[in-house]
Amino acid sequence: MTNPVLTAELALKSFYIFNSAFGPKEGEEEKKVLFYHPQDTDIDTKIKDVGLSEAIIKFSNTFTKDDSVQTMHTQKTCQFYYQPEPGYWMIMTLSVPFDRKTRDSGDYNEYHGDTIHDTIYQSVLRQAYRMFRMFHGTFQDNLRPNEELDAQANLIGRLEAFYQSYILHLQMKRCDVVDAFGSVQYLPLNQLLFLRVQNFINMIEATFAPIKHCIFLYSDQVVWSGINPTDLYTLYEYFHSPMFDQLAQSKQTRPAYVTEQGKCKRYTLMVCRKVQNISLCLLLDDGAVENEQSLYLELNAVVNPQLTAISSDISQHLQSGGESSYSFGCGGGSSSSSSSSRDDSSPKFIFFNELNLQHRGTVRLGQAQYHSVTGSGLPNDVMNLIVDLLDDVRSNRSSVMDETIVKTHDDYWIVKRSCNTRHVFIILNKSSTLIDVTEETKKILDQHVKGIFF
């Protein structure tokens, strides 16, 4: 008989960035390392880890020609590879969780490598690059000398300043399907309210010439966005991170790089503080504003009265049942999701639209499941299975519409239905027959996503 005596959770073991072109000669291996976490790691270990990564990449290239190595699993670690720009590699190493057990022959570790899903943590690594690019531009853009440092030293300084803070706030064990989706929640409004918001956006863009794009949030849900969905997700993650709170205390604006027509364009990001439940994020034409403080005060004077009125109208709309047909539980704001969270066996669903990177449903995802006392999260194996089903759809685009039904060993039923780029996952936690599951699925689809699927 075995008894668990110690448990080690999933954790970040190392995170590093290198470029082999910076140290092509023997004895210059140290120059390849652009960033390494933990920072106090000795240089020999850094060189050895980078060298091993180079060997794995080179070995994999004997079978492929597109540097497609992404993941390497061992018993104790899982390593993720990402080449965001030619020559630059980002490597993230996770420690596999394990239970320390004992038996008659002695103690041993039982590792659980299957809890680490490749797609989820590959997405986390890609997001780490996108977050840097959002506020500093590409790695290559930062490879330029300044008055005090040469080009490589300047790049290293930028990477260290950003990632030492960014990594501190990464919570690996809390990553879930939202990281794989890379999506945000949109708030559904009736036509009149939405047109009112759109008219308000048009008004401030016409009144203040430097304003080029706006993002309008209500209770952390997106109402309007003028940028592409991928950059919107990156900004959304930033607004909900401690990095934003720290920066907001010191200054009101910062540079932001948004992708437009395949190129990064620099803007100035200004966030008007919350007016009731509304947050207004503005992207200003870079260099067009001489006095940012004056513009900030003028904006607040103009928009605050209107935002107060809009917020009041949206609140009344929601309280009158304006979103009853949507049952927004992912954000934890609706009463319907709160009641469902008290019953773990109640049916749940997640809807995901790949076209605009939107998700909604009655499952608390991301940080929302940890901010709730009751919560309505899902077991890790169910989350991973949902991502597996999504991967299957992404790898097989030949079928326009399909449906898959899966039953887990602990009586969870997962129904996945896809139509073009729209996917719904229905989760049932009860012992049922296939006929019961089909009937329950039809009921949920008719109630929550009617008209989306044929």
Side-chain angles (χ1 to χ4, degrees), residues 127 130-131 134 229-238:
Q127 180 64 13
R130 285 195 290 262
M131 191 69 79
M134 171 62 67
T230 302
D231 286 339
L232 173 63
Y233 172 70
T234 302
L235 277 176
Y236 187 87
E237 288 288 291
Y238 168 68

Side-chain angles (χ1 to χ4, degrees), residues 233-252:
Y233 172 70
T234 302
L235 277 176
Y236 187 87
E237 288 288 291
Y238 168 68
F239 295 146
H240 292 82
S241 72
M243 296 173 64
F244 172 68
D245 296 330
Q246 294 171 2
L247 187 75
Q249 295 174 0
S250 58
K251 48 185 174 180
Q252 294 159 341

Side-chain angles (χ1 to χ4, degrees), residues 332-399:
S334 69
S335 59
S336 60
S337 65
S338 299
S339 61
S340 66
S341 65
R342 298 188 185 98
D343 185 5
D344 290 338
S345 63
S346 61
K348 302 176 179 67
F349 84 96
I350 305 170
F351 171 76
F352 172 49
N353 188 338
E354 285 190 85
L355 193 62
N356 61 357
L357 297 184
Q358 171 203 7
H359 74 263
R360 62 183 176 88
T362 53
V363 179
R364 295 183 186 273
L365 301 174
Q367 297 300 316
Q369 63 176 304
Y370 301 98
H371 294 163
S372 169
V373 176
T374 54
S376 58
L378 295 172
N380 185 73
D381 59 333
V382 175
M383 288 283 195
N384 288 347
L385 188 52
I386 291 174
V387 181
D388 285 337
L389 293 172
L390 181 65
D391 287 342
D392 183 60
V393 176
R394 287 172 169 172
S395 62
N396 182 20
R397 295 291 189 182
S398 58
S399 56

Side-chain angles (χ1 to χ4, degrees), residues 108-168:
Y108 70 99
N109 293 337
E110 185 178 275
Y111 290 91
H112 305 288
D114 56 340
T115 62
I116 301 178
H117 198 288
D118 291 359
T119 301
I120 292 176
Y121 291 98
Q122 182 65 223
S123 299
V124 171
L125 181 58
R126 292 171 184 265
Q127 180 64 13
Y129 169 73
R130 285 195 290 262
M131 191 69 79
F132 178 88
R133 189 187 63 181
M134 171 62 67
F135 299 111
H136 297 280
T138 64
F139 292 161
Q140 196 63 33
D141 288 342
N142 288 274
L143 190 65
R144 296 174 181 174
N146 58 22
E147 296 177 355
E148 300 177 356
L149 302 171
D150 61 25
Q152 186 174 344
N154 183 44
L155 173 60
I156 291 174
R158 295 283 183 89
L159 292 173
E160 289 181 348
F162 177 81
Y163 281 112
Q164 285 298 349
S165 174
Y166 181 80
I167 288 175
L168 290 177

